[in-house]
Amino acid sequence: MFDRRQLIHAALAAPFACALPAWARAAKPPANAASMGRFIAGLPKAEFHVHLEGTLEADMKFALAKRNGLSLPYADVAAMKRSYVYHDLPSFLKIYYDGMQVLLTEQDFYDLAYGYLRKAASQNVLYAEMFFDPQEHLKRGVAIEAVIGGITRARGDAAKSLGIESQLILCFMRDLSAGSAMEALDAALPYKDKLIGVGLDSDEKGNPPEKFAEHFAKARAAGLHVTMHCDVNQENTLEHIRTALLDLKTERIDHGGNIVQSPELMALARSRGIPFTVCPTFSGQVIEDGRPINALRQMLDAGLKVSVNSDDPAYMGSEYITEVLIRAQKDSTLTPAELVRIERNAFETAWIPAQQRDGYLARLKAYAQTWGVTAG
Ligand code: HPA
Ligand code: ZN
C-alpha cells in the first residue's frame, strides 16, 4: 500500500516527467525488442501505399452489410477472417474485390476512410496518400460522387479531429479494359481538386503499364501526379519497371522490388530520386533462382528512396504500419537510424507543399534526437 506522502510524490512526479523537454530526457537509442517497439510506435510516419478498400476490416464488412440489407456468406467475423487465404496476387485480388461489395453509399466510404485514418493516426501516421479503385465501384452502380465525396468528408473530419492529413490517389485497374479506366478517369476529373494523383493496380500479368499511357498523359495534363504498381516476381517485371521509368516517366513505383536484379535500373532510379513504396508483408521477397532475396534490405543498401507501407492491412493479419515496421525491423535487421531514414524518405517524397514537408521533417528530427538517433 502507498502511504499518503508517496501518493502525493507520485502525483507530482508523473506530470513533471511527461513535461520534461527533449534535451532533459536520457537520449538512448533502442537497445532491445521492447524499446525498439516503443521507438517504432512513436516514430512520426507517412504512408503512401495503402488501398482504402484493403483496410475494410471484417467487422466493418458485417456492419455495412447489415446497414445495406445484404447478407454475407460467413457465420461471423472469425469465419470470414479464416477465409482470407491466398497464395498469389490473383487469389488475393479475388478475396479483396469480393469484400468490397458491401460499399454502397457515401456514408460507407466515409466510414471506411475514417476508420483507416483513425487507426493510422493512433500509430503516429502524420500524413497518408491513399489508393482507391473507382472502377470496381462504378461497375456496381455506385456514383463517383458517393465514393470521392465520402472519402473526402472523412479526410476533412480526420484532419480536424485527429490531426492526420491525407490525400487520395485514383488507381486504374490494369486487368480491366483501357476504356473502363478512361471512363473512371473522366468521371473523376470534375473532382480533380480532391485527388493528388493516379496509380495503377490489380493483376499485372499481361497488363503492362503502357496499356495506360494515354490515361497517365491525360491525368498529368490535369495536374495530377503519377505512380504505378510494379508488383514483385511478375512476368516481365524488369521491362515493366523500365517502361514505367523511361516511357511513362512515373514519379514513384509501388513495390518494384525486382529492381534489385538490375544494377542499370537501380542507377537510373537513384539518379532520378524515384521513391519506392515497399510493402514487406505481401511483397518483401524477390525470388531469384528459386531463392528469396530480401528486397527491402537490398533496396536500402543500394541507396534507393524506400518507404515502408501496409498495402491491404485488413487482409494481411490486420497489421497496420507500426506492426509492419516492427516485423520489417526484425526481418531486415533495420537499425534505428535506418528506420528514421525510411520515414525521412517518405516525408521527402510526399506530394505536399514545402512548408508542410518541413514541419514533418522537423518533427521527425526532434523525435530521433529524443532517442539519441541520427538518421543514416
Ligand atoms: N497489387 C496490385 N493490386 C492491388 C494490390 C497490390 O498490392 N492491393 C490491392 N490491389
Ligand atoms: Zn498495392
Side-chain angles (χ1 to χ4, degrees):
M1 273 294 255
F2 280 115
D3 71 24
R4 205 165 149 265
R5 259 202 347 260
Q6 276 175 310
L7 279 175
I8 291 167
H9 180 76
L12 287 173
F16 180 67
C18 297
L20 276 179
W23 52 263
R25 263 181 266 153
K28 274 211 201 111
N32 56 39
S35 62
M36 184 64 89
R38 284 197 301 279
F39 175 73
I40 291 173
L43 192 63
K45 304 173 187 74
E47 171 141 79
F48 301 146
H49 189 150
V50 59
H51 300 261
L52 273 178
E53 296 90 340
T55 70
L56 178 52
E57 289 286 347
D59 54 353
M60 186 180 283
K61 258 189 224 171
F62 272 95
L64 297 186
K66 188 165 174 216
R67 187 158 85 193
N68 291 327
L70 302 169
S71 65
L72 294 170
Y74 301 98
D76 53 28
V77 165
M80 179 180 277
K81 284 192 168 183
R82 277 197 300 277
S83 76
Y84 296 170
V85 180
Y86 49 87
H87 55 278
D88 59 8
L89 185 59
S91 58
F92 163 74
L93 290 171
K94 162 111 184 58
I95 298 167
Y96 165 82
Y97 290 121
D98 277 355
M100 59 181 88
Q101 307 302 311
V102 296
L103 293 165
L104 293 176
T105 67
E106 193 262 7
Q107 187 64 43
D108 298 342
F109 286 92
Y110 176 94
D111 291 345
L112 175 70
Y114 197 85
Y116 163 70
L117 288 167
R118 184 173 42 220
K119 181 75 187 179
S122 79
Q123 298 198 338
N124 289 309
V125 174
L126 307 182
Y127 174 71
E129 288 170 10
M130 313 171 295
F131 296 130
F132 73 118
D133 284 326
Q135 280 156 279
E136 185 57 35
H137 308 305
L138 295 173
K139 231 168 60 180
R140 296 182 291 111
V142 181
I144 195 82
E145 292 81 3
V147 181
I148 296 182
I151 298 170
T152 305
R153 190 161 63 84
R155 287 177 44 218
D157 285 356
K160 261 191 256 131
S161 312
L162 308 169
I164 180 170
E165 296 292 335
S166 60
Q167 302 203 78
L168 197 50
I169 301 174
L170 179 157
C171 277
F172 305 126
M173 289 172 56
R174 66 201 307 163
D175 46 357
L176 300 184
S177 71
S180 151
M182 195 55 93
E183 276 170 30
L185 179 60
D186 287 338
L189 279 180
Y191 306 93
K192 68 177 182 188
D193 60 318
K194 312 286 188 276
L195 306 175
I196 190 66
V198 293
L200 181 64
D201 67 0
S202 215
D203 195 359
E204 189 165 339
K205 192 170 163 51
N207 297 294
E210 63 267 27
K211 177 172 167 186
F212 300 91
E214 218 187 305
H215 308 64
F216 290 125
K218 190 168 187 176
R220 196 171 259 137
L224 298 173
H225 290 281
V226 170
T227 184
M228 47 199 82
H229 279 56
C230 292
D231 277 295
V232 297
N233 307 321
Q234 292 287 318
E235 203 173 77
N236 304 324
T237 179
L238 291 180
E239 253 174 65
H240 292 185
I241 294 174
R242 183 187 308 277
T243 305
L245 289 172
L246 286 178
D247 302 337
L248 302 173
K249 307 261 182 310
T250 192
E251 294 164 71
R252 191 185 277 172
I253 289 185
D254 301 306
H255 300 301
N258 293 81
I259 197 164
V260 299
Q261 297 172 301
S262 167
E264 177 221 340
L265 288 176
M266 281 201 290
L268 178 64
R270 229 181 356 247
S271 73
R272 295 202 179 162
I274 298 289
F276 290 80
T277 64
V278 173
C279 306
T281 314
F282 192 37
S283 56
Q285 293 197 336
V286 164
I287 305 296
E288 187 170 85
D289 300 331
R291 281 195 305 275
I293 299 176
N294 181 325
L296 175 59
R297 168 48 59 207
Q298 296 221 358
M299 291 166 97
L300 270 176
D301 289 350
L304 295 172
K305 278 209 172 274
V306 181
S307 65
V308 169
N309 303 269
S310 68
D311 212 357
D312 299 285
Y315 296 97
M316 296 172 180
S318 293
E319 294 196 350
Y320 287 78
I321 196 153
T322 290
E323 293 83 22
V324 170
L325 279 165
I326 287 173
R327 192 183 286 278
Q329 190 279 322
K330 291 193 192 107
D331 292 349
S332 306
T333 49
L334 301 174
T335 64
E338 284 174 329
L339 288 159
V340 172
R341 187 167 118 209
I342 285 167
E343 294 310 326
R344 199 179 60 192
N345 285 344
F347 289 123
E348 279 176 356
T349 59
W351 291 331
I352 50 177
Q355 203 186 354
Q356 191 179 351
R357 184 187 322 285
D358 292 347
Y360 293 145
L361 288 171
R363 279 176 73 172
L364 179 64
K365 192 169 170 196
Y367 181 80
Q369 273 170 358
T370 64
W371 281 84
V373 173
T374 31

